[in-house]
Amino acid sequence: MAAKRAETFFPLVAGDESKLNHSRHINYWRRCLKTYLPYQYTSNDSNRMSLAFFIVSALDVLGNLETGITPGEREGYINWIYHCQHPEGGFRAFPATDFGELRNENNKAWDPANVPATFFALLMLAIFGDDLERVKRRECLEWLTRMQRPDGSFGETIGENGRIEGGNDIRFGYTGTGIRWILRGSVEGPVDGVSDINVDKLVECIRISETYDGGISEARFHEAHAGFTFCAISALSFLDRLPLPTSPNNDRVRGLSNLPLTLHWLASRQTATLDDDDAYDTNKDGTNSSATCHDADSFAKLSGFPPKNSESSYKGQPTSQFETQWTGMNGRCNKIADTCYAFWVTGSLATLNHLPIIDRPALRRYLLDKVQHLVGGFGKMPGDPPDLYHSYLGLATMAILDEPGLKSFDAPLCMSNDARKHLESLSWRRKIVGIRDGDEAEIAASSRVEIAKPDGMQVEHEASSDRSHLTLSGG
Amino acid sequence: MSKYSDDPAWSDIVPLPQDDGGPNPLAAIAYKDEYSEAMSYLRAVMAENEMSERVLGLTEHIISMNPAHYTVWLYRAKCLFTLSSDLKAEIAWLNPTALKHLKNYQIWHHRQTIIEKLDSADGEVTFISSMLEADSKNYHVWSYRQWLVRRFDLWHEGELEAVEGMLKEDVRNNSAWNHRWFVVFGNEKMEGVDDGVLEREMDYAKAAIYMTPQNQSPWNYLRGLLRYAKLPASTLKEFALEFASPEKPDEVHSSHALDLLADIYAEEENKKEAEKALDLLAKRFDPIRANYWNYRKSLLELPAAAS
């Protein structure tokens, strides 16, 4: 039913050129930037820093941030971010816990800095072109070491008596290692007298979260999930601990103990099951019901068709049956597609230098024809209204897929390469990661992240010596 | 009428309004007055570390509007413990609240804190079942269930039977398959599993495959068992051939069988048959993943073919 609603907005004729409606997306995001978000976002009030990041970064990726705001507004936004900086390092996720002058030792447990919010605040400062000189960098890194538990996992906030609160899943390991990468690259060991996090322990934590089917889960023995898989792979990339030829050649423990299996799991996420209505009776023998049968359509429908395309080559387009013109990504085995998983999966594969193993044109068409919304932004599923989260991750996926008119994108940092280059150019950071003034050429070379692969397959074993952004630390 | 400012029970409190940091706040939300007011009172009582019955009411009110508020839950827990409140009543309140906010993280953390303190899993399994009835693949519920099994040593308290019941209902429920793996292999007190268990699990996965050959969950489970037991993929050759063979392209019943056969042939260094299986997948039985299957074909050219 939902699919039909969407089809009335976007007539689906195979062969029609699918388009990213730039101006509508810009309008959507500018409305989010310049006017109040509707009260329905109240349940996300505690995630304001991430909502802010989606808005600012989306406009940056669309190339509209600089032109769309005045210098005064830019300064005002930067000041708001610093307003959320926590007196003891890190950032609050929203201003609502700030007691102002009433803050004291007895009540500070209710007003902590927040790990994901700190990551997003720092990224936003980079996007705005700020120099991060007002960031309490030393305090932030010291606080970060206190966020790690003995088992290697990270928490979200520090509560009473220094207790680490929040889940122990890799979302916090991802954003924690992201903070570390922003403030000190992937240099291991103490920097300026501030000790490092326990990198080996965190990598170990990720390794035991790998599942029997090759994905990565929230914690040991939990179910493989594309979101956690992205977080784990990105964390490993921030730490230079991926099992890739581009990672430093040393004997440190790496994450992803079985890369081929993880790639299998990631490739398995692409699906033509976009809607509950797509449920399909595979066997026609009563063992399946429409309620239980998901992700069977590619096989069941297509095996009924005679093979049309006999010349499908490795470099060419996949067989183009009508049913596979639009395929999204699910987040777990036997679930239906959802816009956000398009990002978690493509982001993971881009970081692993294996993006071409999926069907990118079909994913692009799914995003543009099925979940892109008339007013701009993306919905979660066909026919759904847009929301900030799905709209940002939909747009980010389009950038990863090299959509013309969008800025090139860094998957682990989840923002434009322009913003990343700005971060890397900051003199205090260059000092820490050991880049001297004469190393300009190397920075430029390493800055060209090869997310934008040509159409031909660029697989791991031929990924050559191009240095990914992760290897800056060696510089 | 304002809920707090007009209530004599709150007249001693000076509400603390939110400082949104200047003229250009980001992601500013059009709060309803009800929320703004409640939050101003929350800040005021938190700043004083007040622990009282009215605080419990206020936190409940905030949670109904913003369940993701990460410190309101911690504050509430401390308040409950300080007042020696009835924790069973707290769980009774949490049950419908969890059902209302199925995707919320904090609520589960809070539940763990309370159940930990109660030191009893009474009623929890029933509650989990009702949650799974509402959403049989809810990630938080399954994660919580694992915590509960470990914490209260429920390994042999009907977990395997419960999973079987759920798989009977929906053999494609991958969360249930994963939980099965946890129940069989997740008990750290056990040192590995014996061959009988391994065989039982293989048979179970195979039976599910006979029922739904195109269901990836039991295939993944079966292949996970092989890797666990460090057995070669060829152990399953005869089984896979029941569902597909590169020689009989018109009688393929499962793309996952072809996938497995491709690995088996690669293991046997039978490049030609492996290529045939991968070609069938790319061109006919799983064209969504044509690029992936072709990539797998390219790996056959490498000296050490991938598993």
Side-chain angles (χ1 to χ4, degrees):
Chain A
M1 274 178 317
K4 288 202 186 78
R5 280 206 304 278
E7 277 164 33
T8 53
F9 293 139
F10 303 104
L12 301 179
V13 182
D16 258 14
E17 184 71 16
S18 311
K19 284 198 182 78
L20 181 75
N21 198 330
H22 261 91
S23 57
R24 292 259 168 87
H25 285 280
I26 288 172
N27 286 345
Y28 174 80
W29 289 109
R30 288 192 61 173
R31 210 161 45 242
C32 294
L33 180 70
K34 303 247 174 150
T35 63
Y36 283 97
L37 299 174
Y39 79 91
Q40 285 88 343
Y41 279 96
T42 300
S43 59
N44 269 300
D45 190 23
S46 315
N47 300 318
R48 259 182 76 185
M49 194 63 84
S50 32
L51 299 181
F53 166 76
F54 296 150
I55 297 168
V56 170
S57 187
L59 285 167
D60 175 46
V61 170
L62 284 158
N64 189 257
L65 188 61
E66 277 171 52
T67 49
I69 57 173
T70 64
E73 284 171 326
R74 176 181 166 275
E75 202 187 323
Y77 295 136
I78 291 173
N79 286 340
W80 182 82
I81 300 167
Y82 279 117
H83 172 72
C84 294
Q85 185 164 215
H86 194 268
E88 294 175 19
F91 288 76
R92 298 178 175 98
F94 64 147
T97 59
D98 188 354
F99 304 126
E101 288 173 2
L102 298 181
R103 182 187 162 83
N104 59 41
E105 278 303 306
N106 295 326
N107 62 28
K108 69 177 196 179
W110 317 125
D111 175 35
N114 179 293
V115 170
T118 301
F119 179 58
F120 291 126
L122 296 174
L123 293 181
M124 249 192 299
L125 289 172
I127 293 168
F128 276 125
D130 183 70
D131 56 14
L132 279 70
E133 289 288 1
R134 281 191 275 163
V135 174
K136 297 172 194 246
R137 299 197 295 268
R138 166 176 285 273
E139 289 89 338
C140 185
L141 285 168
E142 279 170 351
W143 161 75
L144 189 65
T145 61
R146 294 198 300 275
M147 292 306 314
Q148 190 175 24
R149 300 186 180 91
D151 72 355
S153 71
F154 277 75
E156 182 178 20
T157 59
I158 292 194
E160 282 201 299
N161 309 316
R163 201 182 117 121
I164 299 168
E165 303 286 357
N168 61 351
D169 59 80
I170 191 62
R171 285 175 305 152
F172 307 128
Y174 162 53
T175 46
T177 52
I179 294 165
R180 174 181 177 272
W181 186 87
I182 292 167
L183 296 181
R184 46 173 289 171
S186 32
V187 178
E188 294 197 10
V191 164
D192 290 342
V194 181
S195 59
D196 198 359
I197 62 166
N198 190 333
V199 174
D200 285 343
K201 262 295 196 214
L202 178 61
V203 174
E204 201 180 292
C205 212
I206 292 172
R207 286 177 68 102
I208 62 168
S209 304
E210 293 176 13
T211 57
Y212 62 86
D213 51 2
I216 296 163
S217 67
E218 182 181 39
R220 195 174 191 186
F221 290 111
H222 292 203
E223 187 183 5
H225 183 288
F228 294 121
T229 302
F230 170 88
C231 289
I233 289 172
S234 300
L236 291 169
S237 91
F238 289 141
L239 299 171
D240 259 346
R241 296 293 187 96
L242 279 170
L244 296 177
T246 45
S247 304
N249 187 15
N250 57 35
D251 54 3
R252 302 284 168 85
V253 57
R254 309 281 175 95
L256 301 190
S257 57
N258 188 343
L259 181 61
L261 191 63
T262 299
L263 293 174
H264 182 271
W265 188 86
L266 286 166
S268 298
R269 304 281 56 78
Q270 196 153 15
T271 175
T273 310
L274 309 182
D275 200 288
D276 282 319
D277 293 353
D278 291 343
Y280 199 88
D281 185 355
T282 25
N283 293 338
K284 308 214 185 303
D285 61 1
T287 52
N288 300 307
S289 72
S290 60
T292 61
C293 180
H294 295 313
D295 220 337
D297 48 77
S298 68
F299 174 78
K301 286 180 190 169
L302 288 161
S303 58
F305 285 89
K308 246 192 215 165
N309 182 352
S310 55
E311 290 301 320
S312 172
S313 76
Y314 193 46
K315 292 190 176 184
Q317 296 284 315
T319 318
S320 51
Q321 301 280 8
F322 185 81
E323 283 73 14
T324 55
Q325 290 282 304
W326 298 273
T327 54
M329 295 287 176
N330 63 21
R332 290 182 264 161
C333 185
N334 283 338
K335 298 265 286 178
I336 65 175
D338 173 328
T339 302
C340 67
Y341 296 113
F343 175 77
W344 303 126
V345 174
T346 53
S348 300
L349 286 169
T351 304
L352 294 174
N353 280 327
H354 276 73
L355 192 55
I357 67 172
I358 57 154
D359 184 345
R360 287 171 290 174
L363 179 62
R364 177 178 178 275
R365 281 190 295 268
Y366 157 79
L367 289 169
L368 295 180
D369 298 341
K370 300 284 188 183
V371 289
Q372 178 176 230
H373 199 274
L374 261 189
V375 303
F378 294 87
K380 176 181 166 76
M381 290 190 184
D384 283 352
D387 63 83
L388 293 178
Y389 173 76
H390 291 94
S391 294
Y392 183 68
L393 295 182
L395 187 71
T397 309
M398 295 301 297
I400 288 176
L401 295 177
D402 280 337
E403 184 68 12
L406 298 182
K407 286 190 179 181
S408 85
F409 201 79
D410 184 277
L413 287 173
C414 199
M415 68 174 183
S416 72
N417 276 311
D418 284 357
R420 202 199 79 230
K421 277 179 230 164
H422 170 72
L423 256 183
E424 287 172 341
S425 74
L426 297 172
S427 57
W428 58 264
R429 190 180 185 280
R430 287 161 52 111
K431 225 191 248 167
I432 292 170
V433 300
I435 295 173
R436 295 172 304 274
D437 285 343
D439 295 341
E440 297 288 347
E442 189 187 345
I443 299 170
S446 63
S447 290
R448 280 195 304 275
V449 175
E450 297 299 319
I451 285 166
K453 297 286 182 205
D455 226 42
M457 192 65 205
Q458 187 139 2
V459 293
E460 180 207 346
H461 56 267
E462 59 187 26
S464 79
S465 59
D466 81 55
R467 307 192 63 192
S468 76
H469 71 282
L470 311 165
T471 53
L472 250 186
S473 62
Chain B
M1 171 176 160
S2 294
K3 192 172 163 65
Y4 300 98
S5 61
D6 293 347
D7 184 346
W10 289 90
S11 60
D12 58 317
I13 298 294
V14 181
L16 185 58
Q18 175 164 319
D19 175 4
D20 216 340
N24 293 98
L26 285 163
I29 298 164
Y31 302 130
K32 285 186 169 178
D33 290 345
E34 181 190 358
Y35 180 72
S36 298
E37 193 202 28
M39 288 290 278
S40 297
Y41 277 82
L42 178 71
R43 271 184 293 274
V45 292
M46 271 181 162
E48 292 299 322
N49 248 304
E50 177 177 319
M51 300 286 146
S52 65
E53 285 299 328
R54 69 177 181 184
V55 159
L56 290 177
L58 175 61
T59 55
E60 188 175 328
H61 186 208
I62 301 274
I63 286 165
S64 73
M65 296 179 281
N66 177 13
H69 190 314
Y70 43 88
T71 56
V72 82
W73 287 102
L74 302 173
Y75 181 50
R76 181 179 175 86
K78 169 141 196 220
C79 199
L80 287 165
F81 298 153
T82 307
L83 301 177
S84 306
S85 301
D86 177 2
L87 298 183
K88 288 200 168 143
E90 179 72 357
I91 292 294
W93 167 73
L94 269 179
N95 289 352
T97 309
L99 268 168
K100 206 172 137 200
H101 306 286
L102 280 171
K103 303 280 180 188
N104 178 270
Y105 277 91
Q106 282 77 16
I107 216 164
W108 296 99
H109 191 64
H110 185 70
R111 191 176 191 97
Q112 270 189 20
T113 309
I114 304 296
I115 292 293
E116 185 73 58
K117 195 91 172 176
L118 273 170
D119 197 22
S120 156
D122 281 359
E124 287 305 278
V125 174
T126 315
F127 164 71
I128 287 172
S129 302
S130 70
M131 286 295 290
L132 291 177
E133 261 170 50
D135 178 1
S136 65
K137 299 175 182 179
N138 187 297
Y139 205 90
H140 302 304
V141 181
W142 286 106
S143 296
Y144 177 70
R145 186 174 192 144
Q146 286 201 10
W147 173 80
L148 201 75
V149 167
R150 262 211 194 96
R151 169 66 178 77
F152 295 98
D153 200 16
L154 305 176
W155 299 96
H156 304 291
E157 307 289 324
E159 277 304 289
L160 201 60
E161 293 77 5
V163 169
E164 276 173 23
M166 290 205 67
L167 287 174
K168 218 171 196 172
E169 197 117 307
D170 178 4
V171 71
R172 288 187 166 77
N173 185 341
N174 196 63
S175 306
W177 280 102
N178 185 78
H179 194 69
R180 187 177 180 99
W181 184 276
F182 163 72
V183 173
V184 175
F185 297 106
N187 190 348
E188 282 91 351
K189 285 180 215 145
M190 281 172 39
E191 290 191 16
V193 298
D194 62 40
D195 289 351
V197 169
L198 212 56
E199 203 172 314
R200 180 195 73 197
E201 292 306 300
M202 292 247 197
D203 289 346
Y204 187 84
K206 284 179 180 175
I209 291 170
Y210 281 122
M211 201 162 68
T212 55
Q214 192 50 26
N215 175 6
Q216 195 171 18
S217 292
W219 285 103
N220 283 343
Y221 193 85
L222 188 60
R223 300 191 65 177
L225 292 170
L226 274 196
R227 274 187 293 274
Y228 177 88
K230 299 195 165 57
L231 292 169
S234 59
T235 313
L236 290 171
K237 190 170 180 180
E238 259 176 64
F239 178 72
L241 283 169
E242 290 185 51
F243 300 92
S245 159
E247 301 307 322
K248 296 179 195 158
D250 291 325
E251 291 169 43
V252 171
H253 299 288
S254 171
S255 67
H256 308 304
L258 278 176
D259 178 10
L260 172 56
L261 283 167
D263 278 343
I264 293 170
Y265 293 130
E267 202 177 84
E268 292 172 350
E269 294 182 29
N270 185 347
K271 203 180 120 193
K272 210 173 123 236
E273 286 300 297
E275 273 179 353
K276 266 192 205 170
L278 292 168
D279 271 338
L280 278 175
L281 284 164
K283 290 174 185 165
R284 191 159 165 193
F285 293 103
D286 193 23
I288 288 176
R289 267 161 284 284
N291 287 335
Y292 173 70
W293 303 121
N294 288 327
Y295 158 69
R296 283 264 296 271
K297 244 168 76 179
S298 78
L299 295 179
L300 297 171
E301 307 294 335
L302 297 177
S307 67

